[in-house]
Amino acid sequence: MRTPVVAGNWKMNGTRASVSELLAGVKQGQPPSTVETVVCAPYPYLPQVEAALAGSGIRWGAQNVSEHAAGAYTGEVSVAMLQDFGCSHVILGHSERRSLFAEQDPGIAEKFVAVTAAGLTPILCVGETLEQREAGATGQVVEQQLMAVIQRAGVAALAGAVLAYEPVWAIGTGRTATPEQAQAVHAALRARVAQEDAAVAAKLPILYGGSVKADNAAELFACEDIDGGLIGGASLKADDFLQICRAAAA
Ligand code: 13P
């Protein structure tokens, strides 16, 4: 009933040549049409991604956006600019933005409002650090990150959104959450949304991210509340990314 979503987060990687090769490979491999397949590219490559993927059924987006509409915000990129290049999705609140660029819940909530108001799909990231997990605070941390957005945007705004659970300790480390660990957090997140609106919760895709690879994707995606993945390193290799997309269709 929920369409699986697999989104690649290329992070700050790529050249014109590597992007061209990667997109050709992904297109040629034809990700399953039953999976919503998305690539989130660095800003400069968006025109190239649009040219390569238009009409392919594969969607594309960015990894961040400004909460402001236009004007004197040096170095920022607006939602309208992303739309100008055909973007459908935007990653918001990734843990690297939170930890390395001081993004906090209130600003992320403003971005969420700007993105949903324009009809784009935010991929809202939540997740705990290792210290927080070991202190038994995982549930509290992810709930706070989620509720900051719901309180600002309203639960109805989640109807067009995607949520991504990315434990910080599993990102780029090769240390994946076990399916049981991930499922427990996904179920708790869905239950929390259901307290606000059961229908929105039932339809909300919740993706897992953190060292998802071709060989562990299937067991994660088999969990009831895991509706796909947000993929970092493995999204930079066409074959690996395609295998993960196929695992989400199974
Ligand atoms: P890795 O798949 O490289 O661990 O990255 C996960 C991630 O941060 C996706 O947003």
Side-chain angles (χ1 to χ4, degrees):
M1 47 160 200
R2 288 187 292 273
T3 302
V5 180
V6 174
N9 175 9
W10 293 355
K11 307 194 180 183
M12 197 174 73
N13 293 291
T15 61
R16 275 209 256 205
S18 73
V19 165
S20 169
E21 190 185 326
L22 176 56
L23 292 173
V26 172
K27 247 170 54 166
Q28 203 198 351
Q30 295 185 344
S33 59
T34 52
V35 176
E36 178 142 282
T37 304
V38 187
V39 296
C40 295
Y43 296 135
Y45 299 108
L46 289 174
Q48 190 184 346
V49 173
E50 180 183 37
L53 295 185
S56 70
I58 302 167
R59 323 280 295 271
W60 61 93
Q63 301 165 15
N64 183 28
V65 74
S66 173
E67 68 268 41
H68 302 293
Y73 300 102
T74 301
E76 292 292 284
V77 169
S78 72
V79 172
M81 291 171 185
L82 298 185
Q83 287 182 302
D84 214 4
F85 289 94
C87 291
S88 55
H89 289 69
V90 192
I91 297 171
L92 295 181
H94 191 280
S95 66
E96 288 151 17
R97 304 257 6 131
R98 293 178 191 261
S99 67
L100 303 173
F101 302 97
E103 288 204 20
Q104 293 182 346
D105 287 332
I108 294 163
E110 293 307 320
K111 292 179 183 200
F112 190 97
V113 168
V115 167
T116 51
L120 265 69
T121 302
I123 303 175
L124 173 67
C125 301
V126 299
E128 83 289 3
T129 63
L130 188 58
E131 293 71 32
Q132 289 166 333
R133 171 161 285 265
E134 285 173 348
T138 299
Q140 189 192 325
V141 168
V142 298
E143 179 171 323
Q144 189 177 319
Q145 291 167 337
L146 171 68
M147 290 312 293
V149 168
I150 292 183
Q151 276 156 8
R152 172 65 183 87
V155 69
L158 246 60
V162 172
L163 189 59
Y165 169 56
E166 297 207 312
V168 177
W169 48 271
I171 295 176
T173 58
R175 187 177 160 189
T176 321
T178 64
E180 294 73 25
Q181 284 174 321
Q183 165 61 25
V185 178
H186 283 230
L189 286 166
R190 197 180 306 285
R192 187 64 191 84
V193 177
Q195 278 180 36
E196 308 293 320
D197 188 320
V200 168
K203 289 194 183 132
L204 179 67
I206 307 182
L207 314 186
Y208 170 78
S211 298
V212 178
K213 307 287 175 207
D215 61 6
N216 63 18
E219 58 175 6
L220 287 159
F221 299 166
C223 298
E224 188 181 343
D225 289 292
I226 302 183
D227 306 309
L230 183 55
I231 319 301
S235 73
L236 297 170
K237 293 186 193 130
D239 286 347
D240 290 5
F241 187 62
L242 285 160
Q243 279 190 54
I244 294 168
C245 293
R246 289 185 198 118

